[in-house]
Amino acid sequence: MESAITESGTDINRAAMLLLDDALVAIPTETVYGLAGNAFSPSAVTRIFQTKNRPVFDPLIVHTHSLEEIRGFVTVIPPVVERLIEEFSPGPLTVLLPRNHKIPDLVTSGLPLVAVRIPRHPMTLELLRALPFPLAAPSANPFGYISPTTARHVLDQLGGKIPYVLDGGSCEVGVESTIVGFNGSRCEIYREGGISQEQLMAICGPLGKVYQSSSSPSAPGMLLSHYAPRKTLYLGNLDALLERFKGVPVGVLSYDTPVQAPNILASAVLSPEGDLSAAAQRLFACLRDLDQSRAQVLLAESVPDQGLGRAINDRLQRAAIKEA
Ligand code: TXA
Ligand code: MG
């Protein structure tokens, strides 16, 4: 179902009415914007997959306002998960829990576990409290492209396809939530994100497996190529890359230090102060700007591999071309 005009604004009531009517609405969260629909409605969930061109083997995250609401659609919440939720929610944490009959198969791509999170954005929390159901919401971008961190980003790509974008400003965290599963009482990381390994370990002790990106859909959420700009992006040492692409019009993304060369058409520095939170917040907007520049190829460097830096590096690796 296409909507000729997509409006954006701050009308939470309007967003609620549309969602009650089984329509889709883009919502702000502290991580990235989501494309939301009633998680209990197979028709709304089907429309989410269609609107994003998302393959049905890639399951969705269910957004809710409280632990109480979660209890209504899962069979059990193990103590370690309850501790994590208490510590990090609302916030950029997603946990995997066994679902009950209320969650349609489509939401989890048939898997027995459902991904759940309580987002921290005040407008979306108010919206969730006003609704009698939780919201299934993937990031509000066409499948495989860079996630949106402003209402403008959503309009640029989904304009004409959904009736409303709830505009909550720029996302505060800027990278998606950390997805955590459990093997016995051990936490396993399915996707690095806004909660760091260090923060998780402080609550649940040593981590089990940390799944790496793969091209196999049997490791959900971990597609090797994802979060990708349309231009080819090379990740590595910037001096070496600039030497290699001498004379080619390039766009450059650096961590804390600007680089100079005559063939640089566009450039962005993630955080001149070397602050990983600030870098995460700006990452996707910088990638979008560079993608829209007149550069032919994009060059980027990794950031320090600690704290939020791991999530940033994960997104850069998945955005980059894989060379043998
Ligand atoms: O920060 C976020 O998590 C954002 C905002 C909108 O909440 N959402 C988001 O959704 O990033 P999406 O759909 O772009 O990514 C969710 C990932 C998917 O790649 C999916 O494979 C994984 O979560 N996932 C969902 N359910 C899962 C499950 N039952 N088991 C394993 N992975 C799952
Ligand atoms: Mg996504």
Side-chain angles (χ1 to χ4, degrees), residues 57 70 110 134-135 158 183 199 248 281:
F57 61 72
I70 297 175
L135 294 174
L158 298 183
N183 192 346
Q199 285 175 292
V248 178
Q281 213 262 330

Side-chain angles (χ1 to χ4, degrees), residues 231 242 247-252 259-268 289-290 292-298:
K231 295 189 202 297
L242 281 167
V248 178
V250 296
V252 177
V259 289
Q260 266 150 20
N263 57 323
I264 297 180
L265 283 201
S267 63
D289 287 347
L290 291 172
Q292 273 157 26
S293 74
R294 286 175 28 249
Q296 253 170 47
V297 296
L298 305 183

